[in-house]
Amino acid sequence: MSSSKHSSALRRLALSVLQPGFVGTEAPDWILRDIGDGLASVVLFSRNIVSTEQVARLTGQLRAENPDLIVAIDEEAGDVTRIESATGSSRPGNFALGTVDDAELTEAVAADLGRQLRAAGVSLDYAPSADVNSNPDNPIIGVRSFGSDPDVVSRHTSAWIRGLQSSGVAACAKHFPGHGDVAVDSHHDLPSYPAGREEIAAQALPPFRAAVAAGVRAVMSGHLLVPAYDPDLPATLSRRILHGLLREELGFDGLVVSDAIEMGAVTRRYGIDGATVKAVAAGVDAVCVGGESAEEATVALLVKALTTAVTGGELPEERLAEAADRVREFARWSAGLRAAGDAGTTAGAGDGIGHIAARRAVRLTGAARAALPLTAAPHVVELAPVTNMAIGKETPWGVAGPLRERLPGTTSVRVRGQELEEGTVALERCALEPAAGRPLVIVARDVARHAWMSRAVTGLTAARPDAIVVEMGLPGTATTAAAQIFTHGASAASGVAAAEILTTASTV
């Protein structure tokens, strides 16, 4: 093969192992050109989405260049939603489903989501999170997990995969080998999971074994250090973990996808180009990029890094070709899955199963039951934490909106920790005074993880012992108020469920 032909073939191989994002609700010219040159996948984010119909037009435009193109999305439902980022998810997330612990319900919710994604032209969903949230201080997983019990997480991971794939959309179990027992957000730095192999086998791996048994054909690696297997390299860059553990021990022969390669956990030390080369060398088949770095120049940089690594001997060409083969194989399989999927009723916001599931996940204390229903329009104080980067800043959450629809005259304020610490907002003025002579509803999100929120809830409930606290994150012990409602997630569906329970006499 001539030098120019070999160079062109290498570029096609390098393009085929990337899963880039892009900006806009229509396909930019550079993406269409790259698909023609061998790009086999793209990933969609909320910036690409206006409606299911618009996304269907976009994916049709992309697939005109390659009918088997893998179109991926990071859609977990619940707190992490892209397809409904503007409205909030009409389905509860994993923790709510794990709380109900009805595998048939989980399967039905995932199938409902799959029908919406399939109608939009999506073929791969970076979900479910198979992480066991064994560390309650985990800043990145939390309600994205089905729970802290490996058996529960395994059961619902399997159900979620079955449901999603029954609708024609491929699932992707993440974040291997388990991101649930860390205390650092991998968007910013490298977390470590210091457990021994026996503990990892008992705690973190069962949901991934269950995912493989349920027929998952894609697994996403996590950017975390697991010293029991590799003391030097994070899982995404570790052949010991991706090949030795995932492929040889767990028997997984499908597509290995990296978590977003631009995340600080891997780029701080290696740069985005160095991390990409090391990931493919270690066993990653498809490199997800473009949540933040969504420019043509980023794809060009990574293609150059991969081809240069091959010609320089850093990355065996056989490994790059193997990764490209796996991508092509997955593309063919997922196209067939999409064609055979159960279209059913095209799902979307407002469909019933999400509401049913969210309602079933709500739990009340006895004092809350005694205080309900509200008969007068309340004042709602929503305590808003800084969320991790997986949760869209634009995604609405809370209880005030749906309460206002049911009790006109409901007022509300949203308070952030920084405002309280800086003294620019005082709870006396914005929370207690407007609630004088009216019901007070306090909405929190992971109160046990945020000292400022715990102090605020304690102070407000001391001043108003009759206040009702709605916790939309992980239930904790920091709240002293007796009247509490737990939604187990902050999706729009969970907010509506809480508002219904606050305003109706029949409570769960």
Side-chain angles (χ1 to χ4, degrees):
M1 186 185 296
S2 69
S3 173
S4 62
K5 284 185 177 179
H6 184 241
S7 176
S8 176
L10 266 186
R11 183 173 186 272
R12 288 189 73 86
L13 287 178
L15 273 170
S16 71
V17 303
L18 300 179
Q19 294 193 339
F22 56 89
V23 176
T25 54
E26 296 184 359
D29 290 341
W30 68 267
I31 277 281
L32 298 177
R33 283 197 304 272
D34 280 352
I35 294 171
D37 289 344
L39 185 69
S41 316
V42 297
V43 56
L44 303 181
F45 294 91
S46 55
R47 62 179 177 239
N48 306 119
I49 295 168
V50 175
S51 66
T52 300
E53 294 74 22
Q54 167 266 323
V55 178
R57 289 193 298 272
L58 170 60
T59 55
Q61 183 187 12
L62 292 164
R63 286 211 175 90
E65 304 295 324
N66 175 6
D68 286 352
L69 183 76
I70 300 166
V71 179
I73 195 169
D74 186 14
E75 174 61 53
E76 299 177 13
D79 289 27
V80 178
T81 179
R82 310 294 177 232
I83 201 75
E84 295 183 297
S85 65
T87 58
S89 178
S90 57
R91 306 168 184 92
N94 286 0
F95 189 55
L97 295 171
T99 297
V100 178
D101 199 11
D102 178 345
E104 289 185 3
L105 179 68
T106 295
E107 188 169 340
V109 169
D112 184 60
L113 173 62
R115 286 189 288 272
Q116 184 179 10
L117 295 179
R118 181 178 180 273
V122 170
S123 54
L124 169 62
D125 187 8
Y126 295 150
S129 169
D131 308 293
V132 179
N133 197 63
S134 48
N135 183 347
D137 290 327
N138 192 319
I140 186 65
I141 301 300
V143 296
R144 300 168 65 192
S145 167
F146 289 110
S148 58
D149 183 330
D151 291 340
V152 171
V153 177
S154 297
R155 185 158 57 246
H156 291 278
T157 293
S158 298
W160 214 96
I161 290 166
R162 288 195 303 269
L164 187 76
Q165 295 192 162
S166 74
S167 295
V169 177
C172 178
K174 65 183 184 185
H175 307 79
F176 188 82
H179 215 301
D181 194 13
V182 302
V184 172
D185 184 342
S186 52
H187 288 94
H188 306 296
D189 212 339
L190 180 61
S192 180
Y193 180 21
R197 291 195 180 196
E198 286 187 9
E199 183 181 339
I200 292 169
Q203 185 74 21
L205 295 182
F208 291 98
R209 293 187 184 278
V212 173
V216 81
R217 295 288 292 270
V219 169
M220 177 176 281
S221 64
H223 299 330
L224 70 161
L225 198 66
V226 189
Y229 286 93
D230 193 327
D232 302 313
L233 293 168
T236 297
L237 313 183
S238 172
R239 182 168 174 80
R240 295 179 191 176
I241 292 174
L242 298 184
H243 185 78
L245 179 58
L246 179 57
R247 293 215 183 276
E248 292 186 345
E249 188 173 325
L250 268 65
F252 178 68
D253 63 357
L255 187 75
V256 176
V257 184
S258 77
D259 204 349
I261 204 68
E262 63 263 50
M263 288 165 63
V266 291
T267 58
R268 277 179 174 240
R269 184 169 177 185
Y270 302 105
I272 191 171
D273 48 350
T276 296
V277 170
K278 286 184 175 297
V280 175
V284 165
D285 304 308
V287 178
C288 172
V289 63
E292 299 166 74
S293 305
E295 306 80 21
E296 180 182 6
T298 299
V299 173
L301 172 68
L302 300 189
V303 167
K304 182 179 180 182
L306 288 166
T307 56
T308 301
V310 170
T311 56
E314 183 184 354
L315 173 64
E317 186 170 348
E318 296 77 17
R319 168 79 274 268
L320 184 61
E322 178 189 50
D325 285 344
R326 280 215 182 87
V327 171
R328 280 193 291 271
E329 181 185 351
F330 182 88
R332 287 192 295 269
W333 173 79
S334 62
L337 185 72
R338 194 170 76 253
D342 174 20
T345 303
T346 299
D351 281 47
I353 192 66
H355 175 264
I356 291 167
R359 182 75 184 246
R360 285 183 62 187
V362 178
R363 301 289 183 268
L364 286 73
T365 61
R369 291 177 187 275
L372 298 179
L374 298 177
T375 55
H379 182 58
V380 182
V381 181
E382 294 178 335
L383 303 173
V386 176
T387 55
N388 64 65
M389 289 178 66
I391 299 171
K393 303 298 182 211
E394 75 283 355
T395 304
W397 67 278
V399 178
L403 258 182
R404 196 172 290 114
E405 294 176 6
R406 289 156 179 79
L407 287 175
T410 295
T411 56
S412 65
V413 64
R414 184 161 285 187
V415 179
R416 293 165 178 81
Q418 186 177 355
E419 295 169 326
L420 292 180
E421 290 165 5
E422 292 174 349
T424 54
V425 167
L427 291 176
E428 179 70 32
R429 289 196 303 274
C430 73
L432 295 175
E433 290 177 7
R438 306 166 55 192
L440 174 62
V441 176
I442 305 163
V443 183
R445 198 169 177 179
D446 287 328
V447 69
R449 283 192 55 240
H450 302 283
W452 72 267
M453 196 181 296
S454 177
R455 289 192 298 270
V457 171
T458 299
L460 289 172
T461 53
R464 285 288 303 268
D466 62 330
I468 298 173
V469 178
V470 181
E471 170 60 82
M472 302 193 79
L474 292 176
T477 57
T479 305
T480 57
Q484 296 180 72
I485 297 174
F486 302 96
T487 62
H488 304 98
S491 70
S494 297
V496 169
E500 286 184 352
I501 285 165
L502 284 162
T503 56
T504 58
S506 59
T507 57
V508 293

